[in-house]
Amino acid sequence: MRAGKSLKFLHNICPLCCLSPVALGQIMTRMRLTFFANHGPRSRTRNTFKILVCLALLRFSLVVVFGSVPEWKIDSMWKEVDSLPNQILGGVGLALVVLKVFLTAMTRRRVRRRYDIPPSGLCCGCCRGCCGNCCGFDDCCEDICRAVFCGCCTVAQMGRHTADYETYRGVCCSSTGLPPAAPEV
């Protein structure tokens, strides 16, 4: 197997293995996007990757700390679910999922705009033309649907659009996912 093919395989599988916030942070840093997916100068975008890695670690830590639930009895199960730690875990988890969907949708929109990629129209069918400019962005509905229903695949696709992995190898532990010699997008 050629090195390029194995790296492409690893870079496409990595986001699918629950590391999509890390890969999303690399893509956002590569495109000079701030934490809220707005364009910005390097001084405002250099920490985007670090923030997303910290949020991914926070989520993972919460699951490890609060996620180990003892064996429940049927009658005590609802008491456990209503406990304060489970409510905190649920609230923070939900907030992090909503944030990831928002950042994935906004980053996808930025990638499509930068590379002149038209919407495919293959969303849920009801979105074509229904949202118009409801949220201030044209064609946002497809980006949201893709982020919700195909989030990991969407992040992997954006990674392929914003880097040339045939020329530059992927680097797992860098803020852009590319070696320092790779040109900026």
Side-chain angles (χ1 to χ4, degrees):
M1 180 183 278
R2 269 187 31 217
K5 286 188 179 186
S6 64
L7 286 174
K8 187 184 290 186
F9 172 78
L10 285 175
H11 204 277
N12 290 339
I13 289 299
C14 187
L16 297 175
C17 297
C18 300
L19 294 177
S20 60
V22 174
L24 182 62
Q26 291 174 332
I27 294 164
M28 291 174 72
T29 301
R30 204 181 293 162
M31 293 189 60
R32 288 194 180 178
L33 298 177
T34 64
F35 175 67
F36 292 107
N38 296 316
H39 291 287
R42 179 163 310 285
S43 62
R44 292 190 57 218
T45 62
R46 70 174 173 233
N47 291 326
T48 302
F49 172 72
K50 295 174 189 172
I51 293 169
L52 284 171
V53 167
C54 288
L55 289 175
L57 289 173
L58 170 69
R59 174 72 173 128
F60 178 75
S61 299
L62 286 173
V63 168
V64 167
V65 171
F66 295 114
S68 57
V69 180
E71 301 254 341
W72 294 335
K73 296 178 186 172
I74 298 296
D75 60 343
S76 68
M77 184 168 88
W78 298 111
K79 293 176 189 169
E80 291 291 331
V81 171
D82 290 336
S83 69
L84 184 61
N86 285 336
Q87 290 176 352
I88 292 171
L89 177 63
V92 171
L94 179 63
L96 291 175
V97 166
V98 169
L99 178 65
K100 183 185 174 287
V101 166
F102 169 77
L103 292 176
T104 302
M106 292 301 295
T107 303
R108 184 177 190 273
R109 180 179 167 271
R110 301 279 185 205
V111 169
R112 286 193 313 103
R113 290 264 170 108
R114 179 167 295 175
Y115 295 103
D116 293 323
I117 301 170
S120 66
L122 297 176
C123 191
C124 59
C126 66
C127 297
R128 197 71 173 148
C130 74
C131 104
N133 200 7
C134 65
C135 57
F137 304 111
D138 298 329
D139 301 319
C140 67
C141 196
E142 180 179 311
D143 296 328
I144 293 168
C145 286
R146 299 283 175 140
V148 169
F149 298 111
C150 313
C152 295
C153 296
T154 300
V155 170
Q157 184 181 36
M158 289 189 295
R160 288 189 303 273
H161 276 292
T162 58
D164 181 10
Y165 293 111
E166 295 292 324
T167 306
Y168 300 98
R169 64 180 175 79
V171 178
C172 183
C173 297
S174 78
S175 63
T176 62
L178 298 170
E184 290 187 15
V185 183

